[in-house]
Amino acid sequence: MRPPSGGSGVRAAAARSPAASFLLAAAAVASLVGGFYFWLVVSSFRLPDSGAAGCRPDGEGSWAVGMFYGSSPLALRPIELEGRSNGNSSAWPVANPVLTCATATEAGYPSNFVADPFLYVEGDTLYLFFETKTTTSMQGDIGVARSFDQGATWEFLGIALDEAWHLSYPFVFKYENEIYMMPEGNKKKELRLYRATKFPLEWTLEKVLVNKPLIDASLVQFEGYWWLFASDFTRYGVEKNAELEIWYSNSPLGPWTEHKQNPIYKSDKSLGARNGGRLFVFEGSLYRPGQDCSGTYGRRVKLYKVEKLSKEEYKEVPVNLGIEEPKKGRNAWNGMRYHHMDAQQLASGGWIAVMDGDRVPSGDSTRRSLIGYIAFLLASALIIFVGFMKGAISCYISPSLWVPLTRRTELSRIFCVHRFNQKVRRYSTSISRYISATKTKLSEKSWSNMLFFCVVALFGILNVCIAVHFLCGGNGAEEAYTYQGLHSQFTMVTMTYEARLWNLKVFIEHYSRCESVREIVVVWNKGNAPSSDAFDSTVPVRIRVEEINSLNNRFRVDPLIKTRAVFELDDDIMMTCTDLEKGFRVWREHPERMVGFYPRMIDGNPMQYRNERYARGKNGYNLILTGAAFMDSEFAFKTYWSEKAREGRDYVHKNFNCEDLLMNFLYANASSTRTVEYVHPAWAIDTSKLSSVAISRNTQKHYDIRTNCLAKFSSIYGPLPQKWEFGMREDHWDK
């Protein structure tokens, strides 16, 4: 039935018609595909907490701050390689980043990111000044934090400077027993200098140094003069973030005179023209960090050695920064960008540095939303298109729509309105005929039509997945979790042999990208060991060749392991990095426990080994398989190789099975408190059933052997503890 004359409309076919049912089915399939993709891929991303006061997605990024140390500013290493620990937060070692938006937010100052860090060293105490993007005003303020342990832990003290305009780049220095700060505040179109009246939280305006909107301004005293390096923010086009100016004076308080070569740079963003932190002097030479802004703002820090600096001349050459490039992409805190560094020499002669980093490029949240909504609209359009072609949706445009509402008047004749409407009517009629012919042709049952609709369906599914990925996937990173404000790292240990090399390569390529993985140790039990270079890995891979083929080798004491936490994982299990990070976070809460992903409930008289389904039916567990479990390497490995465990080890070696059960009995025997904890993975794939060499391929035989092991170990070490129920954690990670 057509709409009334004089109007237009869209009408749907009868709800129970085959075409309408087809349309509803298409929408249902799209929803199912989106849900499956979310579970399989997107659920592995760490999603932002919509109710959080800070750390929200921000178009400027998710900047954080890390610590670096070295004997030279040209050979700095991140804090995790220095072995600095903090037992109160189970951080063995402490890992970067050491200061994040969460540091400020948890102290009562909600922030989306922290960036542009500058150090002020006062004896053994470090003060850190930085930009913090306040969520209340959505502008930058200057925050300050303090550390008494050389930067391993930081206490957020508060906001040091808050103006009505955006502030960043808080260059802090001391001159004639006064402490000054020169932050960037280009909205005032002037470069201001502040003096501390009550360090570090109270400051007053001392003077305006330069009446010009200079950004990222840094001072340095060198060869008799004070030099000011900065960029003019009024530049645009190719000169934006590509301009550098130099000024000089006899005092940091001015007056300042422009360098004769200004602007030093003005056309290439990749040259590092815009300052990237404090200039420093090393072995008599001056060095300037700059920002490579090619591709995205703040892509990386580039270091330059100044060869000539006078009132008339300036020349610098690039040198190696000496910091290893991050390799884990978005899974690394500085994987996409690092644009600022402040390196200073300590009284001890060593060097310390702070650097900011970001796991996403500039404008990432806006870009992801745009791509997601476009994909969603395309998927919706395809569903409507299919519904239209199948007759579930019909569209009718009345020709009377183009008839003038009044009779032809002198005005309509002047502007040819009537002729225009006549042309539109002819074109719309032609289009309608073409659409009708196309619908008729596509309604025919032929292989070509089936292929066409299959292609349309695949394109629709692709767009649904893209929409879910970009709209529901956060920033697309599998981020590490902090515990008591600190990050840490763990070592992965897996045991394999020659026949499973193909599995190992996939295993290492995947898990080496997880943020908290420090090293992967491969316990090589049998056959010719490969070279570490044979693997695509972002972390060191160490092949530990064993003399005999024994499952006991998995828990051998290894003095080369540099982390307290180890994650024992079978080489045939694949799970998401986010699940590993969750497990690591839970282990750090209770490092005396084994924390894993495969629970079992051992009970009965005699005890019998059963699968996870049995534990679910009992709503509890008392054993965790070490095929995917975190443990304290110092305690677990030494206990496993102690004299009291000798009889159990001999039984494991004889039966080539049950090493994980023995570890559980040893833990239970050594403590009267809880010894295991479960974390539910989003998904896990066990490829052992696909392998002809897996010891658990014959499930029933495998279970029978393990039942015998339970009887043996309980007779030696006593029973396992009571059960612990699922779903006891507030975060529901153990459901």
Side-chain angles (χ1 to χ4, degrees):
M1 181 176 179
R2 291 189 176 185
S5 178
S8 66
V10 176
R11 56 191 175 92
R16 295 187 180 181
S17 68
S21 299
F22 178 86
L23 183 62
L24 291 173
V29 168
S31 300
L32 289 173
V33 168
F36 178 75
Y37 183 81
F38 182 90
W39 168 77
L40 184 65
V41 178
V42 178
S43 62
S44 67
F45 301 147
R46 183 177 174 184
L47 305 181
D49 183 357
S50 58
C55 299
R56 300 171 182 168
D58 195 294
E60 291 188 68
S62 56
W63 297 94
V65 177
M67 294 295 305
F68 295 78
Y69 307 86
S71 58
S72 157
L74 307 181
L76 295 168
R77 304 199 320 159
I79 189 171
E80 54 265 24
L81 298 184
E82 292 294 300
R84 297 173 187 262
S85 300
N86 184 284
N88 293 331
S89 61
S90 306
W92 304 292
V94 174
N96 281 328
V98 295
L99 192 80
T100 67
C101 57
T103 310
T105 300
E106 291 171 3
Y109 300 87
S111 170
N112 280 351
F113 63 78
V114 292
D116 293 352
F118 280 99
L119 283 169
Y120 183 82
V121 182
E122 192 175 74
D124 293 331
T125 304
L126 301 179
Y127 291 92
L128 186 66
F129 293 84
F130 49 89
E131 173 195 351
T132 173
K133 179 74 171 289
T134 307
T135 59
T136 52
S137 62
M138 292 305 290
Q139 72 176 23
D141 296 327
I142 304 304
V144 59
R146 179 176 59 191
S147 174
F148 297 111
D149 55 7
Q150 294 292 293
T153 58
W154 292 90
E155 174 192 6
F156 188 88
L157 300 179
I159 301 299
L161 191 60
D162 180 9
E163 297 283 19
W165 54 89
H166 172 84
L167 296 173
S168 61
Y169 206 85
F171 185 90
V172 180
F173 66 100
K174 191 172 187 177
Y175 177 69
E176 294 185 346
N177 295 321
E178 297 283 358
I179 303 176
Y180 295 94
M181 182 196 300
M182 186 177 62
E184 183 234 302
N186 68 84
K187 293 293 178 66
K188 291 293 290 182
K189 301 188 183 303
E190 56 191 20
L191 182 61
R192 292 183 158 204
L193 183 69
Y194 295 80
R195 177 174 52 85
T197 57
K198 190 175 181 180
F199 185 83
L201 287 172
E202 296 181 14
W203 301 78
T204 186
L205 177 63
E206 181 72 9
K207 66 183 302 184
V208 175
L209 296 180
V210 181
N211 284 301
K212 194 174 184 180
L214 297 178
I215 58 172
D216 295 355
S218 294
L219 291 172
V220 66
Q221 188 177 21
F222 188 68
E223 294 185 347
Y225 288 96
W226 283 85
W227 303 90
L228 172 65
F229 290 72
S231 299
D232 184 353
F233 196 65
T234 60
R235 302 283 179 170
Y236 58 91
V238 296
E239 296 183 12
K240 188 175 181 65
N241 295 326
E243 196 255 12
L244 175 66
E245 297 181 5
I246 301 177
W247 303 61
Y248 60 90
S249 174
N250 292 318
S251 163
L253 306 182
W256 292 93
T257 304
E258 282 200 64
H259 195 278
K260 289 187 177 181
Q261 283 187 213
N262 278 351
I264 305 300
Y265 301 122
K266 65 174 184 178
S267 61
D268 190 344
K269 296 180 181 181
S270 67
L271 287 178
R274 184 168 175 172
N275 284 330
R278 190 188 304 268
L279 286 82
F280 59 87
V281 177
F282 176 63
E283 295 182 346
S285 296
L286 180 63
Y287 292 84
R288 184 185 72 87
Q291 297 182 43
D292 175 0
C293 291
S294 60
T296 183
Y297 165 67
R299 173 63 191 89
R300 62 170 61 86
V301 173
K302 299 184 76 170
L303 189 62
Y304 292 88
K305 182 179 181 180
V306 177
E307 293 191 335
K308 287 184 180 180
L309 177 57
S310 67
K311 298 178 182 179
E312 296 81 21
E313 290 184 280
Y314 180 76
K315 182 182 178 182
E316 63 182 13
V317 295
V319 295
N320 185 18
L321 181 61
I323 294 177
E324 186 177 0
E325 284 277 332
K327 301 175 182 178
K328 297 186 180 183
R330 289 177 184 253
N331 286 359
W333 70 277
N334 59 348
M336 286 295 176
R337 299 188 286 174
Y338 55 97
H339 81 331
H340 181 102
M341 180 183 76
D342 182 13
Q344 297 192 37
Q345 190 170 24
L346 301 174
S348 62
W351 285 78
I352 189 172
V354 286
M355 182 178 290
D356 63 10
D358 194 358
R359 64 179 74 248
V360 298
S362 179
D364 183 70
S365 60
T366 303
R367 187 182 304 109
R368 292 180 69 85
S369 296
L370 182 61
I371 294 174
Y373 283 120
I374 290 175
F376 175 77
L377 290 174
L378 285 174
S380 301
L382 285 172
I383 292 176
I384 294 173
F385 169 77
V386 172
F388 184 70
M389 289 299 171
K390 291 294 183 179
I393 297 175
S394 61
C395 181
Y396 172 74
I397 302 176
S398 174
S400 62
L401 178 67
W402 309 107
V403 177
L405 298 178
T406 60
R407 293 180 177 273
R408 294 177 60 186
T409 62
E410 291 297 322
L411 185 63
S412 68
R413 282 197 295 270
I414 292 173
F415 291 98
C416 303
V417 174
H418 185 69
R419 292 181 181 177
F420 173 75
N421 285 338
Q422 289 282 7
K423 289 182 179 180
V424 171
R425 290 174 67 185
R426 285 199 299 270
Y427 286 134
S428 64
T429 301
S430 299
I431 292 173
S432 297
R433 290 173 179 170
Y434 176 77
I435 292 175
S436 297
T438 303
K439 288 177 64 176
T440 301
K441 187 174 182 179
L442 290 176
S443 64
E444 298 175 359
K445 294 183 178 180
S446 64
W447 286 107
S448 59
N449 285 347
M450 291 178 62
L451 179 61
F452 173 78
F453 281 109
C454 285
V455 171
V456 170
L458 288 175
F459 190 61
I461 290 172
L462 176 63
N463 279 281
V464 168
C465 294
I466 292 174
V468 171
H469 184 90
F470 285 97
L471 293 178
C472 305
N475 60 12
E478 297 181 278
E479 298 182 41
Y481 291 84
T482 62
Y483 178 57
Q484 295 186 352
L486 291 180
H487 289 83
S488 189
Q489 291 184 324
F490 61 87
T491 300
M492 288 193 67
V493 178
T494 188
M495 186 166 61
T496 192
Y497 51 98
E498 192 173 38
R500 298 163 72 108
L501 181 59
W502 66 272
N503 222 35
L504 183 64
K505 289 184 176 181
V506 176
F507 176 100
I508 290 177
E509 181 179 358
H510 170 66
Y511 288 115
S512 71
R513 270 73 180 174
C514 299
E515 183 168 7
S516 298
V517 174
R518 162 77 173 271
E519 178 190 31
I520 298 178
V521 177
V522 179
V523 180
W524 196 264
N525 253 8
K526 187 175 72 172
N528 297 321
S531 166
S532 298
D533 299 333
F535 304 99
D536 177 10
S537 178
T538 66
V539 300
V541 176
R542 179 161 57 90
I543 311 296
R544 196 179 77 200
V545 180
E546 300 293 345
E547 294 181 0
I548 59 173
N549 183 14
S550 173
L551 294 183
N552 291 322
N553 294 332
R554 154 173 271 163
F555 303 124
R556 187 175 297 281
V557 176
D558 189 342
L560 296 181
I561 291 178
K562 303 301 181 184
T563 65
R564 185 80 167 268
V566 294
F567 183 55
E568 291 278 355
L569 185 65
D570 290 346
D571 66 343
D572 48 22
I573 294 177
M574 297 295 291
M575 59 178 63
T576 69
C577 287
T578 294
D579 285 330
L580 264 64
E581 299 293 356
K582 287 181 179 179
F584 185 38
R585 171 66 167 76
V586 173
W587 178 86
R588 290 180 64 193
E589 295 175 10
H590 298 285
E592 73 281 1
R593 299 176 184 173
M594 280 194 298
V595 176
F597 300 91
Y598 289 92
R600 296 291 186 266
M601 182 65 212
I602 306 300
D603 61 4
N605 188 17
M607 290 187 295
Q608 187 174 351
Y609 184 83
R610 300 178 177 91
N611 58 21
E612 183 176 341
R613 189 180 302 110
Y614 179 79
R616 292 289 179 181
K618 290 286 187 176
N619 191 33
Y621 61 96
N622 58 0
L623 184 144
I624 290 291
L625 300 187
T626 61
F630 286 91
M631 61 189 70
D632 182 339
S633 62
E634 292 187 10
F635 170 78
F637 293 176
K638 289 180 180 179
T639 301
Y640 192 89
W641 285 91
S642 64
E643 184 61 31
K644 69 178 181 180
R646 177 185 293 275
E647 187 176 354
R649 290 199 310 273
D650 291 343
Y651 193 83
V652 168
H653 181 66
K654 176 182 177 181
N655 291 276
F656 207 75
N657 206 322
C658 305
E659 80 287 357
D660 50 350
L661 303 184
L662 175 58
M663 182 64 82
N664 275 268
F665 275 95
L666 293 174
Y667 258 78
N669 182 260
S671 175
S672 60
T673 61
R674 183 174 180 177
T675 56
V676 294
E677 188 163 356
Y678 167 68
V679 175
H680 180 68
W683 54 263
I685 301 174
D686 183 355
T687 62
S688 63
K689 301 299 185 291
L690 306 177
S691 172
S692 60
V693 293
I695 63 174
S696 59
R697 182 174 176 82
N698 186 331
T699 302
Q700 189 55 55
K701 181 180 179 182
H702 178 64
Y703 278 27
D704 290 343
I705 294 174
R706 294 172 80 80
T707 294
N708 294 333
C709 290
L710 292 173
K712 179 66 174 179
F713 296 154
S714 62
S715 67
I716 303 173
Y717 306 107
L720 289 171
Q722 62 180 3
K723 75 173 182 180
W724 290 279
E725 294 183 357
F726 294 104
M728 298 299 291
R729 291 182 59 88
E730 292 184 3
D731 52 28
H732 306 300
W733 287 356
D734 60 339
K735 279 195 169 182

